Amino acid sequence: MSGLTLPRDAGTCTRCPMECRLQSGPTWSCSVRLRFEFDIRGRPLGSAKVVPFGRRITDRDLVEGVIRQAQRAILSNAQDVDAFLEQADDVDLPNGPQSFSKNCVCVDVQGPGVPDLCFYDLPGIIANVSEGGDERDIQLVEDLVKSYIKRPNCIVLLVVSCETDYENQGAARLIKKDRGILHRTVGVLTKVDRIEPGGEGRWLSMLRNESERLENGWFCVKQRKPADLSAGVPLEEARSQERKFFNETPPWDALDQPYRDRIGSVALSEHLGSMLARLIEAKLPEVYAAITERLDAVLNELNKLPVPVHDNPKHAVILLLRRFSRLVSEHVKGKPPSPKAKVDKSKFEAGLRHCVNKEYAKFRHYIHQTAPQFLPCTSDRLGSVTSDMQREATKFDAPDGRCGPVFFIDEIKDLAERSRTKELPGNYPFSVKSDLIKESTEGWKTLAMDCFEKVEGLLRDHVEELVARHFRLYMHGDLPNIVSGIVRKQIYLLANHTRTLVHSLCESEDTPYTQNEDFFFKTRNDLGATYKSVYQRSLSRPPERTVMMESPHSHMPRAPRPDPYNEAITALAKLGIHGINPHDLAQLIHVQDMQTALDIMAEVRAYFQVAYKRFGDNVPKQIDVDFLDGFERGLDVALFEKFSMGIMDEQCSEWLQEPPELMRRRQELGDMKEALENAVDALRPVVRNITAADVSSDRSSCPSPTLHQQSVSENSETSSERAPSPVYPSAVPDVHEEIGCRVIVGGGYLYRA
């Protein structure tokens, strides 16, 4: 069938899988490759590695020796093949690290008249090992054979040698264990010329399918003897001798129909062709679906690749830069994630605007934490202020409780009195309030510049990532580096300008100023009343009682003392005066000596509330308008100035040069697309006819006339008697690896495939 002479030997010759791929071509040639899928211990590798074994062969007589050496390289697990190519073609295999291997020798043959088929030759099942051998090889070979014959789309030839008892040949044992394999198995009796006289009855019974029954029955063949192979007896003469033997040698010459049609290699080949045609017909819709699915995947991948630029490269560069500018604009303005998108913790995937907004929120929170905390009680009476009263006095502070400098009311009064110069009684210089304000705001400049530095870093990193992703297919040229340089320069110039503006904002806060009078007065009056109320209530509460009652370290139960405010409210209710609360009673307590301090506290804290809200908005707004938006606005101009003037088409072609791996991948996909489309065009009418026809339930009939029936002929026999047969047309590379039909052949008292 292939025109090859495979290695033969008197013992176990095949020690690793041999894959033979046949393909029609204008001239005959053969190439051999080694496919390593397992390590020396039989464990799967991460990915298969294919190693060419020598050059393409054009002389058929050299193939047998090359295949023999290739098997030796497989058994030695050697991926450096030069040493094996130089070895002499000795008959005996060397004692390498392995007696058998799961790795494969691949033989690709093409030539005129060669059918588009594929078949495998596997090691035979062994029951024993030679002296010094590894008994684990018995299970290794059996597992290897099982892995091939269990594939549902293969045809198995169970080749039995008639010179050895059937019960001693282990191949049948594997076949009979699986009903699915039996359905695809054809029995072949070989070496019939070596049957002892009078012992033909057992084998005739099997040929008639009376014993050791198989669904597809048995065939009987006679192959060339070792002496014939050594003498170079041609295939045609061997077929003639086979026909003469069965026509003139009893009891084979006396066989009646239909058993007469089951003797000879030609009869076996015709039966396999018919059986293969039916199997292919049944699988064609599945094959067609797989090919169309693969074609869709190839087209999708091709569509994702950039279109190669051949004409007007300068125009292509301008379009590429405009798309990049629009992409930057989208990210600066804000691009919401898809609702179905997974949460990604990386800053880039989270989005530039999202990360910038988080920095603005942190900045505003840090500014809020610098607020002065005024406690409306004297420093020696802190224990008279309950936790509720303290929360009331600090209600405008940051939620986490962190704050700036802390001042007691007596400290504010002392500061005011020490600051008086020539003011009239009851008046104090404005510097008291301004100094208190500055003490809280002096750290704002550092916080503002830190916020800007972080936003600058976010923009720089984000845009650099956009450059890498947008121009990833043009890294082979210098275009990404040029764009990256323009981006860095723009960020640098805008950053310096924005720092100056933010610095000016910080300096403007050195002098207290506001036109937001309504909010200022409302907040000042609110805080003034609150501070006064808390101060008055603190005066009516003995500090030692509060400390004893609220000490977290006190474990002794204490009876609560009567609250004077509650006692007074109760007494007033008895007099018919209702609606009085502790806050109203506190207003009766004289606070004239502390009123100035209370006013200063309320005004300073109210102004901070105005200023921090204003500053917390102005700094992010300044950064947004002059830095982020400025970068977006100026990027188009910067790119245009660089690329629009004096750029030649030759330079643009160099920038758009694709990496070699991308060019190779596009070529591979293009070739695959062409092959898949040809296969789809060829199979479409056949699949349509199969789908539309009424398929007969009798699957033993002749194959559909729409299918080209392949004739199988044998060209390789050994003392173990192989009968390799056709498989599945290899019209499309790689597709038939998963879904194609194959013939697996067995022979001798060992198992052959």
Side-chain angles (χ1 to χ4, degrees), residues 655-711:
W655 287 337
L656 296 176
Q657 185 178 359
E658 296 177 337
E661 56 272 16
L662 176 60
M663 298 172 65
R664 286 195 298 268
R665 183 56 180 165
R666 181 184 285 109
Q667 182 64 42
E668 292 173 358
L669 291 173
D671 295 342
M672 196 178 301
K673 171 179 172 289
E674 182 179 359
L676 290 168
E677 287 176 340
N678 291 338
V680 169
D681 292 340
L683 291 178
R684 185 183 294 113
V686 180
V687 174
R688 188 184 298 118
N689 291 340
I690 293 175
T691 305
D694 292 329
V695 181
S696 173
S697 60
D698 184 4
R699 303 306 295 173
S700 63
S701 63
C702 294
S704 170
T706 60
L707 297 174
H708 174 65
Q709 179 175 341
Q710 296 286 350
S711 174

Short mmCIF file of all heavy atoms in Angstrom, two decimals, residues 655-711:
data_model
loop_
_atom_site.label_atom_id
_atom_site.label_comp_id
_atom_site.label_asym_id
_atom_site.label_seq_id
_atom_site.Cartn_x
_atom_site.Cartn_y
_atom_site.Cartn_z
N TRP A 655 8.19 51.22 10.80
CA TRP A 655 7.47 51.26 12.08
C TRP A 655 6.39 50.17 12.14
O TRP A 655 6.11 49.63 13.21
CB TRP A 655 6.82 52.62 12.28
CG TRP A 655 7.80 53.69 12.61
CD1 TRP A 655 9.04 53.53 13.15
CD2 TRP A 655 7.63 55.10 12.42
NE1 TRP A 655 9.66 54.74 13.31
CE2 TRP A 655 8.81 55.73 12.89
CE3 TRP A 655 6.60 55.88 11.92
CZ2 TRP A 655 8.99 57.10 12.86
CZ3 TRP A 655 6.76 57.26 11.90
CH2 TRP A 655 7.94 57.87 12.35
N LEU A 656 5.78 49.90 11.00
CA LEU A 656 4.67 48.93 10.97
C LEU A 656 5.15 47.51 10.73
O LEU A 656 4.32 46.61 10.54
CB LEU A 656 3.67 49.33 9.87
CG LEU A 656 2.96 50.67 10.07
CD1 LEU A 656 2.08 50.98 8.88
CD2 LEU A 656 2.14 50.67 11.35
N GLN A 657 6.43 47.31 10.73
CA GLN A 657 6.96 45.96 10.48
C GLN A 657 6.50 45.01 11.59
O GLN A 657 6.64 45.30 12.78
CB GLN A 657 8.49 46.00 10.43
CG GLN A 657 9.11 44.66 10.06
CD GLN A 657 10.62 44.76 9.96
OE1 GLN A 657 11.19 45.83 10.15
NE2 GLN A 657 11.27 43.66 9.68
N GLU A 658 5.95 43.90 11.18
CA GLU A 658 5.41 42.94 12.14
C GLU A 658 6.51 42.00 12.62
O GLU A 658 7.47 41.72 11.90
CB GLU A 658 4.30 42.11 11.48
CG GLU A 658 3.09 42.93 11.06
CD GLU A 658 2.06 42.07 10.37
OE1 GLU A 658 2.44 41.02 9.83
OE2 GLU A 658 0.88 42.44 10.35
N PRO A 659 6.37 41.48 13.85
CA PRO A 659 7.35 40.50 14.32
C PRO A 659 7.27 39.22 13.51
O PRO A 659 6.20 38.85 13.02
CB PRO A 659 6.93 40.27 15.79
CG PRO A 659 5.52 40.72 15.87
CD PRO A 659 5.35 41.81 14.85
N PRO A 660 8.39 38.52 13.36
CA PRO A 660 8.40 37.30 12.54
C PRO A 660 7.39 36.26 13.00
O PRO A 660 6.77 35.58 12.18
CB PRO A 660 9.84 36.79 12.69
CG PRO A 660 10.64 37.99 13.07
CD PRO A 660 9.73 38.85 13.87
N GLU A 661 7.19 36.13 14.31
CA GLU A 661 6.26 35.12 14.79
C GLU A 661 4.82 35.43 14.36
O GLU A 661 4.04 34.52 14.09
CB GLU A 661 6.34 34.97 16.31
CG GLU A 661 6.12 36.25 17.10
CD GLU A 661 7.39 37.03 17.32
OE1 GLU A 661 8.39 36.77 16.62
OE2 GLU A 661 7.40 37.91 18.20
N LEU A 662 4.47 36.74 14.29
CA LEU A 662 3.13 37.11 13.84
C LEU A 662 2.96 36.81 12.35
O LEU A 662 1.91 36.31 11.93
CB LEU A 662 2.88 38.60 14.11
CG LEU A 662 1.55 39.16 13.59
CD1 LEU A 662 0.37 38.44 14.23
CD2 LEU A 662 1.46 40.66 13.86
N MET A 663 3.99 37.08 11.57
CA MET A 663 3.93 36.79 10.14
C MET A 663 3.78 35.30 9.90
O MET A 663 3.01 34.85 9.04
CB MET A 663 5.17 37.34 9.45
CG MET A 663 5.32 38.85 9.57
SD MET A 663 6.91 39.47 8.94
CE MET A 663 6.77 39.06 7.21
N ARG A 664 4.54 34.52 10.68
CA ARG A 664 4.44 33.05 10.54
C ARG A 664 3.06 32.57 10.94
O ARG A 664 2.49 31.70 10.27
CB ARG A 664 5.51 32.37 11.40
CG ARG A 664 6.91 32.47 10.84
CD ARG A 664 7.83 31.49 11.55
NE ARG A 664 7.93 31.78 12.96
CZ ARG A 664 8.87 32.56 13.49
NH1 ARG A 664 9.78 33.14 12.70
NH2 ARG A 664 8.93 32.78 14.78
N ARG A 665 2.51 33.14 12.01
CA ARG A 665 1.19 32.70 12.46
C ARG A 665 0.12 33.05 11.44
O ARG A 665 -0.80 32.25 11.18
CB ARG A 665 0.86 33.34 13.81
CG ARG A 665 -0.48 32.88 14.41
CD ARG A 665 -0.52 31.38 14.53
NE ARG A 665 -1.77 30.90 15.09
CZ ARG A 665 -2.17 29.64 15.05
NH1 ARG A 665 -1.41 28.72 14.47
NH2 ARG A 665 -3.32 29.28 15.58
N ARG A 666 0.21 34.25 10.83
CA ARG A 666 -0.76 34.62 9.82
C ARG A 666 -0.68 33.67 8.62
O ARG A 666 -1.70 33.28 8.05
CB ARG A 666 -0.55 36.06 9.36
CG ARG A 666 -1.57 36.50 8.31
CD ARG A 666 -1.32 37.88 7.77
NE ARG A 666 -1.72 38.91 8.73
CZ ARG A 666 -0.86 39.67 9.38
NH1 ARG A 666 0.44 39.51 9.20
NH2 ARG A 666 -1.28 40.58 10.23
N GLN A 667 0.55 33.30 8.23
CA GLN A 667 0.72 32.38 7.12
C GLN A 667 0.14 31.01 7.47
O GLN A 667 -0.55 30.38 6.65
CB GLN A 667 2.21 32.25 6.77
CG GLN A 667 2.50 31.34 5.58
CD GLN A 667 1.91 31.85 4.29
OE1 GLN A 667 1.97 33.05 4.02
NE2 GLN A 667 1.33 30.97 3.49
N GLU A 668 0.39 30.54 8.70
CA GLU A 668 -0.15 29.25 9.13
C GLU A 668 -1.67 29.27 9.10
O GLU A 668 -2.32 28.33 8.62
CB GLU A 668 0.35 28.92 10.54
CG GLU A 668 1.84 28.63 10.62
CD GLU A 668 2.30 28.49 12.06
OE1 GLU A 668 1.45 28.66 12.97
OE2 GLU A 668 3.49 28.22 12.28
N LEU A 669 -2.25 30.34 9.63
CA LEU A 669 -3.71 30.43 9.65
C LEU A 669 -4.28 30.52 8.24
O LEU A 669 -5.34 29.95 7.95
CB LEU A 669 -4.15 31.65 10.47
CG LEU A 669 -3.89 31.57 11.98
CD1 LEU A 669 -4.20 32.91 12.64
CD2 LEU A 669 -4.71 30.46 12.62
N GLY A 670 -3.58 31.24 7.36
CA GLY A 670 -4.05 31.33 5.98
C GLY A 670 -4.03 29.99 5.28
O GLY A 670 -4.99 29.62 4.58
N ASP A 671 -2.93 29.23 5.48
CA ASP A 671 -2.86 27.90 4.88
C ASP A 671 -3.93 26.98 5.46
O ASP A 671 -4.57 26.20 4.72
CB ASP A 671 -1.47 27.29 5.11
CG ASP A 671 -0.38 28.08 4.38
OD1 ASP A 671 -0.71 28.84 3.45
OD2 ASP A 671 0.81 27.93 4.76
N MET A 672 -4.12 27.07 6.77
CA MET A 672 -5.13 26.24 7.41
C MET A 672 -6.53 26.61 6.93
O MET A 672 -7.37 25.73 6.68
CB MET A 672 -5.04 26.39 8.94
CG MET A 672 -5.77 25.31 9.72
SD MET A 672 -5.56 25.53 11.51
CE MET A 672 -3.78 25.44 11.64
N LYS A 673 -6.77 27.90 6.76
CA LYS A 673 -8.07 28.36 6.26
C LYS A 673 -8.34 27.79 4.87
O LYS A 673 -9.45 27.30 4.58
CB LYS A 673 -8.09 29.88 6.24
CG LYS A 673 -9.31 30.51 5.55
CD LYS A 673 -9.23 32.03 5.62
CE LYS A 673 -10.32 32.68 4.79
NZ LYS A 673 -10.09 32.51 3.35
N GLU A 674 -7.33 27.84 4.00
CA GLU A 674 -7.52 27.33 2.64
C GLU A 674 -7.82 25.83 2.66
O GLU A 674 -8.72 25.35 1.95
CB GLU A 674 -6.28 27.62 1.81
CG GLU A 674 -6.39 27.15 0.36
CD GLU A 674 -5.14 27.47 -0.44
OE1 GLU A 674 -4.20 28.06 0.14
OE2 GLU A 674 -5.10 27.11 -1.63
N ALA A 675 -7.06 25.08 3.47
CA ALA A 675 -7.27 23.63 3.54
C ALA A 675 -8.65 23.30 4.10
O ALA A 675 -9.35 22.41 3.59
CB ALA A 675 -6.18 22.99 4.39
N LEU A 676 -9.06 24.02 5.14
CA LEU A 676 -10.37 23.77 5.75
C LEU A 676 -11.51 24.13 4.81
O LEU A 676 -12.51 23.41 4.72
CB LEU A 676 -10.49 24.55 7.06
CG LEU A 676 -9.61 24.07 8.21
CD1 LEU A 676 -9.59 25.09 9.34
CD2 LEU A 676 -10.07 22.72 8.73
N GLU A 677 -11.36 25.24 4.09
CA GLU A 677 -12.41 25.63 3.14
C GLU A 677 -12.52 24.61 2.01
O GLU A 677 -13.63 24.28 1.56
CB GLU A 677 -12.10 27.01 2.58
CG GLU A 677 -12.34 28.13 3.59
CD GLU A 677 -11.95 29.50 3.06
OE1 GLU A 677 -11.14 29.54 2.09
OE2 GLU A 677 -12.42 30.51 3.60
N ASN A 678 -11.38 24.10 1.54
CA ASN A 678 -11.43 23.06 0.50
C ASN A 678 -12.13 21.81 1.02
O ASN A 678 -12.92 21.16 0.30
CB ASN A 678 -10.02 22.72 0.04
CG ASN A 678 -9.37 23.86 -0.74
OD1 ASN A 678 -10.06 24.72 -1.28
ND2 ASN A 678 -8.05 23.89 -0.77
N ALA A 679 -11.84 21.45 2.28
CA ALA A 679 -12.47 20.27 2.86
C ALA A 679 -13.97 20.47 3.01
O ALA A 679 -14.77 19.56 2.74
CB ALA A 679 -11.83 19.96 4.22
N VAL A 680 -14.37 21.67 3.45
CA VAL A 680 -15.80 21.95 3.60
C VAL A 680 -16.51 21.88 2.24
O VAL A 680 -17.60 21.30 2.11
CB VAL A 680 -16.00 23.34 4.24
CG1 VAL A 680 -17.46 23.77 4.15
CG2 VAL A 680 -15.57 23.30 5.71
N ASP A 681 -15.89 22.46 1.21
CA ASP A 681 -16.49 22.43 -0.13
C ASP A 681 -16.61 21.00 -0.65
O ASP A 681 -17.59 20.65 -1.32
CB ASP A 681 -15.65 23.27 -1.10
CG ASP A 681 -15.71 24.75 -0.77
OD1 ASP A 681 -16.66 25.15 -0.07
OD2 ASP A 681 -14.80 25.49 -1.20
N ALA A 682 -15.60 20.16 -0.34
CA ALA A 682 -15.63 18.79 -0.82
C ALA A 682 -16.65 17.94 -0.07
O ALA A 682 -17.30 17.05 -0.65
CB ALA A 682 -14.24 18.17 -0.71
N LEU A 683 -16.81 18.18 1.22
CA LEU A 683 -17.68 17.33 2.04
C LEU A 683 -19.13 17.78 2.03
O LEU A 683 -20.03 16.98 2.31
CB LEU A 683 -17.16 17.31 3.49
CG LEU A 683 -15.84 16.58 3.73
CD1 LEU A 683 -15.45 16.70 5.19
CD2 LEU A 683 -15.95 15.11 3.35
N ARG A 684 -19.38 19.06 1.74
CA ARG A 684 -20.75 19.58 1.85
C ARG A 684 -21.76 18.78 1.02
O ARG A 684 -22.80 18.36 1.55
CB ARG A 684 -20.78 21.06 1.46
CG ARG A 684 -22.16 21.69 1.68
CD ARG A 684 -22.20 23.13 1.22
NE ARG A 684 -21.34 23.96 2.02
CZ ARG A 684 -20.23 24.56 1.57
NH1 ARG A 684 -19.84 24.36 0.32
NH2 ARG A 684 -19.51 25.32 2.36
N PRO A 685 -21.51 18.53 -0.28
CA PRO A 685 -22.52 17.77 -1.05
C PRO A 685 -22.66 16.33 -0.58
O PRO A 685 -23.75 15.77 -0.60
CB PRO A 685 -21.99 17.84 -2.50
CG PRO A 685 -20.54 18.15 -2.36
CD PRO A 685 -20.40 19.00 -1.15
N VAL A 686 -21.54 15.73 -0.12
CA VAL A 686 -21.61 14.35 0.36
C VAL A 686 -22.46 14.27 1.62
O VAL A 686 -23.33 13.41 1.76
CB VAL A 686 -20.19 13.81 0.62
CG1 VAL A 686 -20.26 12.37 1.13
CG2 VAL A 686 -19.35 13.89 -0.64
N VAL A 687 -22.22 15.19 2.56
CA VAL A 687 -22.99 15.19 3.81
C VAL A 687 -24.45 15.49 3.52
O VAL A 687 -25.35 14.91 4.15
CB VAL A 687 -22.39 16.22 4.79
CG1 VAL A 687 -23.27 16.36 6.03
CG2 VAL A 687 -20.99 15.82 5.19
N ARG A 688 -24.72 16.37 2.56
CA ARG A 688 -26.10 16.68 2.21
C ARG A 688 -26.82 15.45 1.67
O ARG A 688 -27.97 15.18 2.03
CB ARG A 688 -26.12 17.81 1.18
CG ARG A 688 -27.53 18.33 0.89
CD ARG A 688 -27.52 19.37 -0.21
NE ARG A 688 -26.73 20.52 0.19
CZ ARG A 688 -25.63 20.93 -0.44
NH1 ARG A 688 -25.19 20.25 -1.48
NH2 ARG A 688 -24.98 21.99 -0.03
N ASN A 689 -26.12 14.68 0.83
CA ASN A 689 -26.72 13.47 0.28
C ASN A 689 -26.97 12.42 1.36
O ASN A 689 -28.00 11.75 1.38
CB ASN A 689 -25.82 12.88 -0.81
CG ASN A 689 -25.78 13.75 -2.05
OD1 ASN A 689 -26.67 14.58 -2.26
ND2 ASN A 689 -24.75 13.59 -2.86
N ILE A 690 -26.00 12.29 2.28
CA ILE A 690 -26.17 11.31 3.36
C ILE A 690 -27.35 11.69 4.24
O ILE A 690 -28.14 10.84 4.66
CB ILE A 690 -24.87 11.23 4.19
CG1 ILE A 690 -23.75 10.62 3.35
CG2 ILE A 690 -25.09 10.40 5.45
CD1 ILE A 690 -22.41 10.62 4.04
N THR A 691 -27.47 12.98 4.55
CA THR A 691 -28.55 13.43 5.42
C THR A 691 -29.91 13.25 4.77
O THR A 691 -30.90 12.88 5.42
CB THR A 691 -28.34 14.91 5.78
OG1 THR A 691 -27.04 15.07 6.36
CG2 THR A 691 -29.39 15.39 6.77
N ALA A 692 -29.98 13.49 3.45
CA ALA A 692 -31.26 13.44 2.76
C ALA A 692 -31.69 12.02 2.41
O ALA A 692 -32.88 11.74 2.24
CB ALA A 692 -31.19 14.28 1.49
N ALA A 693 -30.72 11.10 2.27
CA ALA A 693 -31.05 9.75 1.83
C ALA A 693 -31.67 8.93 2.95
O ALA A 693 -31.45 9.18 4.13
CB ALA A 693 -29.79 9.07 1.31
N ASP A 694 -32.45 7.95 2.56
CA ASP A 694 -32.98 6.98 3.51
C ASP A 694 -31.92 5.90 3.70
O ASP A 694 -31.68 5.09 2.81
CB ASP A 694 -34.27 6.35 2.98
CG ASP A 694 -35.40 7.34 2.91
OD1 ASP A 694 -35.42 8.26 3.75
OD2 ASP A 694 -36.24 7.20 2.01
N VAL A 695 -31.26 5.92 4.85
CA VAL A 695 -30.17 4.99 5.10
C VAL A 695 -30.75 3.62 5.42
O VAL A 695 -31.60 3.48 6.30
CB VAL A 695 -29.29 5.50 6.24
CG1 VAL A 695 -28.13 4.54 6.48
CG2 VAL A 695 -28.78 6.89 5.94
N SER A 696 -30.29 2.65 4.71
CA SER A 696 -30.76 1.27 4.92
C SER A 696 -30.28 0.76 6.27
O SER A 696 -29.19 1.07 6.70
CB SER A 696 -30.23 0.35 3.82
OG SER A 696 -30.53 -0.99 4.11
N SER A 697 -31.15 0.00 6.92
CA SER A 697 -30.76 -0.57 8.22
C SER A 697 -29.75 -1.68 8.08
O SER A 697 -29.12 -2.09 9.04
CB SER A 697 -32.00 -1.10 8.95
OG SER A 697 -32.63 -2.10 8.18
N ASP A 698 -29.61 -2.21 6.89
CA ASP A 698 -28.63 -3.28 6.65
C ASP A 698 -27.28 -2.65 6.35
O ASP A 698 -26.99 -2.25 5.24
CB ASP A 698 -29.08 -4.15 5.47
CG ASP A 698 -28.14 -5.33 5.25
OD1 ASP A 698 -27.22 -5.49 6.06
OD2 ASP A 698 -28.34 -6.05 4.26
N ARG A 699 -26.42 -2.52 7.37
CA ARG A 699 -25.14 -1.86 7.21
C ARG A 699 -24.10 -2.75 6.55
O ARG A 699 -22.96 -2.35 6.37
CB ARG A 699 -24.61 -1.40 8.57
CG ARG A 699 -25.54 -0.49 9.31
CD ARG A 699 -25.93 0.71 8.46
NE ARG A 699 -24.77 1.54 8.20
CZ ARG A 699 -24.77 2.58 7.40
NH1 ARG A 699 -25.86 2.87 6.72
NH2 ARG A 699 -23.68 3.29 7.24
N SER A 700 -24.48 -4.00 6.20
CA SER A 700 -23.52 -4.89 5.54
C SER A 700 -23.55 -4.74 4.03
O SER A 700 -22.83 -5.43 3.32
CB SER A 700 -23.81 -6.35 5.91
OG SER A 700 -25.09 -6.72 5.44
N SER A 701 -24.41 -3.86 3.53
CA SER A 701 -24.50 -3.65 2.09
C SER A 701 -23.29 -2.89 1.60
O SER A 701 -22.44 -2.44 2.38
CB SER A 701 -25.79 -2.91 1.75
OG SER A 701 -25.76 -1.63 2.35
N CYS A 702 -23.21 -2.69 0.29
CA CYS A 702 -22.07 -2.01 -0.32
C CYS A 702 -22.06 -0.56 0.13
O CYS A 702 -23.10 0.02 0.44
CB CYS A 702 -22.14 -2.08 -1.83
SG CYS A 702 -21.95 -3.77 -2.45
N PRO A 703 -20.91 0.07 0.12
CA PRO A 703 -20.83 1.47 0.55
C PRO A 703 -21.53 2.39 -0.42
O PRO A 703 -21.79 2.04 -1.56
CB PRO A 703 -19.33 1.75 0.59
CG PRO A 703 -18.74 0.75 -0.36
CD PRO A 703 -19.61 -0.47 -0.23
N SER A 704 -21.85 3.59 0.06
CA SER A 704 -22.54 4.58 -0.76
C SER A 704 -21.73 4.92 -1.99
O SER A 704 -20.51 5.08 -1.91
CB SER A 704 -22.76 5.86 0.07
OG SER A 704 -23.22 6.89 -0.75
N PRO A 705 -22.38 5.03 -3.16
CA PRO A 705 -21.65 5.36 -4.38
C PRO A 705 -21.07 6.77 -4.35
O PRO A 705 -20.25 7.10 -5.19
CB PRO A 705 -22.70 5.22 -5.48
CG PRO A 705 -24.01 5.40 -4.78
CD PRO A 705 -23.82 4.83 -3.42
N THR A 706 -21.50 7.57 -3.39
CA THR A 706 -20.94 8.93 -3.33
C THR A 706 -19.55 8.93 -2.71
O THR A 706 -18.86 9.92 -2.77
CB THR A 706 -21.85 9.82 -2.47
OG1 THR A 706 -21.94 9.26 -1.16
CG2 THR A 706 -23.23 9.92 -3.08
N LEU A 707 -19.18 7.82 -2.10
CA LEU A 707 -17.87 7.75 -1.46
C LEU A 707 -16.89 7.04 -2.37
O LEU A 707 -17.23 6.09 -3.06
CB LEU A 707 -17.97 7.00 -0.12
CG LEU A 707 -18.85 7.67 0.92
CD1 LEU A 707 -18.98 6.76 2.12
CD2 LEU A 707 -18.26 9.00 1.32
N HIS A 708 -15.66 7.51 -2.31
CA HIS A 708 -14.62 6.87 -3.10
C HIS A 708 -14.04 5.73 -2.27
O HIS A 708 -13.44 5.95 -1.23
CB HIS A 708 -13.51 7.87 -3.43
CG HIS A 708 -12.33 7.23 -4.11
ND1 HIS A 708 -12.42 6.65 -5.35
CD2 HIS A 708 -11.06 7.08 -3.70
CE1 HIS A 708 -11.23 6.18 -5.70
NE2 HIS A 708 -10.39 6.43 -4.70
N GLN A 709 -14.29 4.50 -2.70
CA GLN A 709 -13.83 3.34 -1.95
C GLN A 709 -12.35 3.11 -2.21
O GLN A 709 -11.92 3.00 -3.34
CB GLN A 709 -14.63 2.10 -2.37
CG GLN A 709 -14.18 0.83 -1.64
CD GLN A 709 -15.06 -0.34 -1.98
OE1 GLN A 709 -16.16 -0.15 -2.46
NE2 GLN A 709 -14.57 -1.52 -1.75
N GLN A 710 -11.60 3.10 -1.12
CA GLN A 710 -10.16 2.88 -1.23
C GLN A 710 -9.87 1.39 -1.24
O GLN A 710 -10.39 0.64 -0.42
CB GLN A 710 -9.43 3.55 -0.04
CG GLN A 710 -9.57 5.06 0.01
CD GLN A 710 -8.71 5.71 -1.06
OE1 GLN A 710 -7.91 5.03 -1.68
NE2 GLN A 710 -8.92 6.98 -1.30
N SER A 711 -9.05 0.97 -2.15
CA SER A 711 -8.61 -0.42 -2.21
C SER A 711 -7.36 -0.57 -1.38
O SER A 711 -6.47 0.27 -1.43
CB SER A 711 -8.32 -0.84 -3.66
OG SER A 711 -7.77 -2.13 -3.70
#
